[in-house]
Amino acid sequence: MSIEQILFLLLLLVVGLKAYRSYSEIWAKIQLGKPYDGSPDQSKRWKNVLLVAFGQKKMFKNLLPAIFHLTIYVAFMMTQIELIEIVIDGVSGHHRTFASGLGWFYPMIINLIECLSILAFIATVIFLWRRNVLKISRFEKAEMVGWPKRDANLILLGEILLIIGVFTMNGADTQLQTLGVAHYPDTGKLLISSSIGDTLFSGLDLKTLIFLERSGWWLHLTMVFGFLLYLPVSKHLHILLAFPNTYWARQKPPGTMQNMPEVMEAVKSMLGLAPEAAPMTSAEIPEFGAKDVTALTWKNILDAYTCTECGRCTAVCPANITGKKLSPRKVIMDVRDRADEVREKLRSANSNWIKEELRGTDVQLNKDNFEDGQSLFDRITREELYACTSCNACVEACPVLINPLEVILEMRRYDILTLAGGPQDWLPMFNSLENSGSVWQVSAARDAWIDR
Amino acid sequence: MDKKVPLMADVAGQSDRPEILFWVGCAGSFDPRAQKVTKAFVQILNASKISYAVLGKEEQCTGDPARRAGNEFLFQMLALQNIQTLNTHNVSKIVTTCPHCFNVLKNDYPALGGHYEVIHHTQLIQSLLDDGRLKIAGGSFTGKKITYHDSCYLGRANGVYEAPREILSQIEGDLVEMERNRTNGLCCGAGGAQMFKEDEPGQKRINIERTEEALKTNPDIIAVNCPFCLTMLTDGMTASNKSEEIMVLDLSELIIQSIKA
């Protein structure tokens, strides 16, 4: 076994373990949510996955970025084939394991991947240019300052490095094949990398060529491993989570609001429509709506980790367009950041985070007794929540079927029902609804419009 | 109105129960401008000879603004009482002139035990035109530019985009689309109980943003399907000093100008 093989296996092991750990964390964060009454229609679910996740249907509302994005996506998918070979080569110490067995198919597939990589390279440069030179307005909102902007650029730069790695590797490889070096099997003609090789690497000595080929190989590999570990802490998880997120997307008409059975039962017994409910004791006054991520559903949290901060929701939000503070993207980012924070504190097992009245010698910290004196309301202000017109534009705009509106409405429910908060302006409407069953306090009867 | 509006309480006992209940809604009942839409729609119902009734004093707010505001208790109170009323009268089919009432009756009431077939008045008008029960003649709007504003609760919330446009093509208006239409339509600013409060601080009111967009189409008429959009865009026209030249009308008000006697 060569040193390179040992190095590879060690790296594979370390990256595998670390990745397992961080993806389990994402899983745990999603589990912070409440049960989700999903959509039972399997055929609709798969249709969403095929059309929206695989087919990127919603991206095509905006043609140009959709094409660039599709290019990178297809290149990414196809490169997975090459990646399998890289892993096999890395373990076995062979070079291009697939080249000998696949005949004409091998150069065809590598040529295809190379074409896509060139297109993806161009698309990535255009994306960097759109973000940093053109400064497309949805990338320039308040919530995009600092880390979110760096995060996006880091991923794009990583992509560029990865593609450079691929072409250094393949370019040097074609030169080594021309020289007839034993370790490098004939791949057939590779159109792009052989011209890169001819232009940049021809006439270099054997050692330099092998060094270049190995550097390209390792650069490609470390970028892939790097991505794998970087994804869970970045906004880029959508490349994985878009699939489950579209699968579990809500299928009810977007105008539907989740019913609150506990309130319904209470009101029914109040109206005499159901047997008298047991009176609530003051110790267990229930919390309605969502104060924190643990009161949202796990689908709301999955939404938050699926978000790639593209801002299509914010760009169509009528409140945001007219200069209000509300940004649906920020709401989703806040849910994610708060879930990160809650999970971090739960992991600490620090009993200081247990609700004071529940503390005891045998009590373990868990999401049900967790209380750190903070909530989603420390991140999402009432000014944001109450600017929403519930118009569903953000829901419609999301390419991966995230629903920011549900979070906003659940938080309003908490503020209004549990805290008796909300805009003063609404009080006359609430009073009028309660007293006269209409939204305005009017003296006329409801049928006064009828001419008699 | 040439004909008396039948009340559900009066006709429910009769052997031929009305085919459909017209849910008038708060705006349609009390707002002077929206009342005109109600009356126009009644004229259409009468002209088509469909049997219908209204609840009159038995009707209450559907609870929509309370629910979207976050006040679930109030919503449940109103909705459960309405469901009781509707079930007492054995109502099976409902038409509304308000997309908010339409949405909440259709999508939110089933979970509370209220199951009805609910349609919006633009859908009913289209089907009445399709099966010949309502006859109209084109010509009243020849050469008139009409732009159509999708309400959020008929459009995105329920996917109804074509029925209103179909009606506009039947009255032979010259339909010009705004830049943001159908799934991309821009809210008028009233939804989610915004109608009943002041805007949060910002650069502009949402209805002004939408009004400006509508004005870019150079319309003679702005057609709407919702009493709140009607208010918001009418206010927008007034703010832009265009209320003299450009009319904001509900689709039913356009139809009655084309009804064949």
Side-chain angles (χ1 to χ4, degrees):
Chain A
M1 201 175 258
S2 70
I3 292 190
E4 222 181 326
Q5 265 172 286
I6 294 168
L7 210 64
F8 176 84
L9 282 169
L10 272 176
L11 191 67
L12 189 67
L13 190 74
V14 172
V15 170
L17 278 174
K18 258 202 89 69
Y20 173 75
R21 272 228 195 105
S22 30
Y23 287 91
S24 310
E25 271 305 295
I26 298 290
W27 175 253
K29 287 168 189 171
I30 293 166
Q31 297 299 311
L32 288 174
K34 289 193 309 185
Y36 164 64
D37 181 17
S39 322
D41 188 336
Q42 287 290 328
S43 67
K44 271 194 198 163
R45 280 179 170 176
W46 287 111
K47 204 175 143 198
N48 272 342
V49 174
L50 280 175
L51 287 178
V52 180
F54 274 107
Q56 305 191 356
K57 182 180 154 201
K58 293 219 140 190
M59 286 294 285
F60 281 85
K61 280 194 154 203
N62 197 347
L63 193 61
L64 220 53
I67 291 171
F68 298 141
H69 181 268
L70 187 70
T71 312
I72 296 179
Y73 164 78
V74 177
F76 169 80
M77 296 288 250
M78 294 300 294
T79 310
Q80 300 316 305
I81 303 174
E82 211 179 3
L83 198 63
I84 297 170
E85 185 184 43
I86 283 182
V87 172
I88 295 174
D89 287 353
V91 175
S92 67
H94 287 129
H95 185 66
R96 294 194 184 267
T97 309
F98 294 164
S100 43
L102 294 177
W104 57 268
F105 187 69
Y106 188 80
M108 193 197 81
I109 209 81
I110 301 292
N111 272 314
L112 179 65
I113 292 173
E114 289 196 342
C115 286
L116 288 167
S117 301
I118 289 288
L119 292 173
F121 186 85
I122 297 167
T124 309
V125 172
I126 292 172
F127 278 164
L128 277 167
W129 177 65
R130 279 166 61 88
R131 272 181 193 267
N132 299 291
V133 183
L134 279 187
K135 295 186 186 289
I136 304 280
S137 70
R138 67 184 154 95
F139 301 135
E140 297 294 315
K141 301 280 175 179
E143 67 270 21
M144 296 307 286
V145 175
W147 166 244
K149 193 180 175 105
R150 273 203 306 283
D151 188 12
N153 279 330
L154 272 174
I155 290 155
L156 292 170
L157 290 172
E159 263 165 37
I160 287 191
L161 276 178
L162 190 148
I163 297 169
I164 290 174
V166 172
F167 283 111
T168 310
M169 170 177 98
N170 286 359
D173 196 311
T174 54
Q175 292 298 303
L176 288 160
Q177 289 176 42
T178 324
L179 295 175
V181 183
H183 190 62
Y184 293 87
D186 182 12
T187 56
K189 178 86 173 162
L190 302 181
L191 297 165
I192 296 172
S193 51
S194 65
S195 59
I196 290 177
D198 288 347
T199 321
L200 296 177
F201 306 143
S202 77
L204 294 177
D205 62 72
L206 195 65
K207 257 186 151 170
T208 315
L209 282 174
I210 291 177
F211 175 76
L212 281 171
E213 192 279 327
R214 287 291 85 194
S215 310
W217 191 88
W218 279 99
L219 179 62
H220 183 179
L221 188 78
T222 42
M223 287 322 293
V224 170
F225 282 173
F227 265 136
L228 191 66
L229 297 181
Y230 182 64
L231 283 185
V233 294
S234 85
K235 61 137 197 155
H236 221 56
L237 264 175
H238 78 293
I239 63 170
L240 303 174
L241 296 186
F243 299 95
N245 204 58
T246 49
Y247 179 83
W248 273 293
R250 237 170 65 139
Q251 290 167 6
K252 289 181 211 150
T256 317
M257 258 178 91
Q258 201 59 40
N259 193 29
M260 298 179 76
E262 66 277 28
V263 177
M264 182 174 74
E265 291 314 320
V267 174
K268 268 187 180 172
S269 73
M270 216 178 73
L271 295 173
L273 299 171
E276 193 81 28
M280 282 180 234
T281 58
S282 60
E284 51 167 354
I285 288 177
E287 223 173 75
F288 296 115
K291 175 191 183 189
D292 212 341
V293 287
T294 46
L296 294 171
T297 69
W298 62 257
K299 176 61 171 67
N300 295 137
I301 305 180
L302 177 61
D303 272 357
Y305 284 96
T306 306
C307 177
T308 194
E309 301 171 7
C310 75
R312 282 170 175 77
C313 51
T314 295
V316 296
C317 172
N320 194 278
I321 288 171
T322 54
K324 278 94 183 172
K325 228 179 122 192
L326 172 64
S327 160
R329 167 175 56 192
K330 177 183 169 290
V331 170
I332 293 295
M333 290 165 73
D334 287 337
V335 170
R336 180 197 60 203
D337 294 349
R338 175 62 183 159
D340 280 345
E341 184 185 20
V342 170
R343 174 65 192 162
E344 203 51 52
K345 285 179 173 164
L346 283 173
R347 261 162 57 99
S348 75
N350 185 340
S351 59
N352 285 338
W353 304 132
I354 299 178
K355 261 185 207 138
E356 215 167 339
E357 64 270 25
L358 297 174
R359 280 179 210 163
T361 41
D362 299 332
V363 184
Q364 298 284 318
L365 177 67
N366 63 44
K367 72 168 185 167
D368 297 315
N369 62 23
F370 176 79
E371 173 65 70
D372 66 345
Q374 303 214 3
S375 74
L376 280 174
F377 282 86
D378 294 300
R379 295 166 186 269
I380 305 168
T381 60
R382 286 165 175 82
E383 184 181 333
E384 291 162 78
L385 293 176
Y386 291 113
C388 173
T389 68
S390 74
C391 76
N392 264 302
C394 55
V395 178
E396 170 65 36
C398 181
V400 290
L401 308 183
I402 293 168
N403 190 325
L405 178 57
E406 220 167 59
V407 177
I408 294 170
L409 293 175
E410 285 303 314
M411 289 184 70
R412 280 188 181 182
R413 278 175 165 172
Y414 176 81
D415 194 35
I416 299 257
L417 295 173
T418 310
L419 301 183
Q424 289 295 308
D425 287 354
W426 275 346
L427 293 182
M429 187 241 316
F430 288 159
N431 287 334
S432 173
L433 284 174
E434 202 172 333
N435 300 328
S436 67
S438 64
V439 288
W440 297 288
Q441 196 76 55
V442 280
S443 51
R446 209 173 177 90
D447 58 358
W449 60 272
I450 302 176
D451 302 327
R452 296 194 189 275
Chain B
M1 278 178 292
D2 46 354
K3 206 178 148 209
K4 214 179 142 200
V5 179
L7 279 178
M8 206 67 187
D10 296 339
V11 295
Q14 295 166 10
S15 53
D16 50 340
R17 291 190 329 102
E19 191 179 326
I20 199 162
L21 172 79
F22 170 26
W23 186 277
V24 184
C26 296
S29 302
F30 299 115
D31 178 78
R33 178 67 190 86
Q35 279 178 349
K36 290 186 184 164
V37 177
T38 307
K39 291 179 185 179
F41 184 57
V42 162
Q43 212 177 315
I44 293 168
L45 290 170
N46 287 339
S48 71
K49 306 207 165 48
I50 190 171
S51 67
Y52 73 98
V54 299
L55 283 173
K57 291 193 183 79
E58 286 187 287
E59 187 186 286
Q60 293 198 80
C61 173
T62 56
D64 165 77
R67 183 168 240 200
R68 312 292 135 180
N71 197 334
E72 186 74 4
F73 272 101
L74 202 43
F75 164 73
Q76 294 280 349
M77 254 175 55
L78 294 161
L80 289 167
Q81 290 176 46
N82 280 327
I83 289 170
Q84 243 194 333
T85 309
L86 290 166
N87 291 353
T88 311
H89 291 307
N90 271 320
V91 170
S92 58
K93 196 170 175 184
I94 304 175
V95 61
T96 78
T97 44
C98 169
H100 297 269
C101 298
F102 163 71
N103 176 71
V104 78
L105 289 166
K106 176 173 175 282
N107 296 322
D108 283 352
Y109 275 31
L112 279 67
H115 302 273
Y116 318 101
E117 186 194 337
V118 187
I119 57 172
H120 184 253
H121 72 308
T122 55
Q123 295 174 302
L124 182 69
I125 292 171
Q126 198 212 343
S127 76
L128 291 173
L129 289 171
D130 284 352
D131 56 25
R133 293 167 83 176
L134 183 66
K135 291 187 179 57
I136 58 168
S140 309
F141 298 98
T142 312
K144 294 268 187 221
K145 264 187 167 177
I146 306 177
T147 191
Y148 170 69
H149 167 77
D150 289 282
S151 69
C152 306
Y153 275 87
L154 190 61
R156 270 188 299 271
N158 290 290
V160 181
Y161 301 107
E162 296 314 321
R165 289 180 168 81
E166 185 55 34
I167 296 173
L168 285 173
S169 84
Q170 297 228 19
I171 60 165
E172 296 174 5
D174 177 11
L175 175 65
V176 273
E177 293 287 359
M178 282 184 251
E179 198 181 315
R180 289 171 282 197
N181 62 66
R182 293 188 173 83
T183 56
N184 300 325
L186 183 78
C187 178
C188 71
Q194 295 293 333
M195 183 72 194
F196 307 99
K197 63 181 259 303
E198 272 306 311
D199 286 16
E200 274 62 28
Q203 290 143 6
K204 201 194 250 191
R205 284 175 193 275
I206 296 170
N207 65 329
I208 300 298
E209 170 84 11
R210 188 54 163 172
T211 301
E212 288 169 357
E213 189 175 1
L215 288 177
K216 278 190 202 150
T217 67
N218 244 324
D220 297 301
I221 295 167
I222 298 173
V224 298
N225 62 56
C226 168
F228 300 108
C229 299
L230 184 59
T231 303
M232 289 311 234
L233 294 178
T234 306
D235 288 355
M237 287 303 138
T238 311
S240 315
N241 287 320
K242 294 280 179 191
S243 50
E244 296 295 315
E245 307 140 56
I246 302 169
M247 309 242 271
V248 186
L249 296 170
D250 185 87
L251 280 163
S252 54
E253 295 177 297
L254 296 177
I255 284 287
I256 55 166
Q257 295 185 44
S258 304
I259 290 181
K260 269 203 287 197

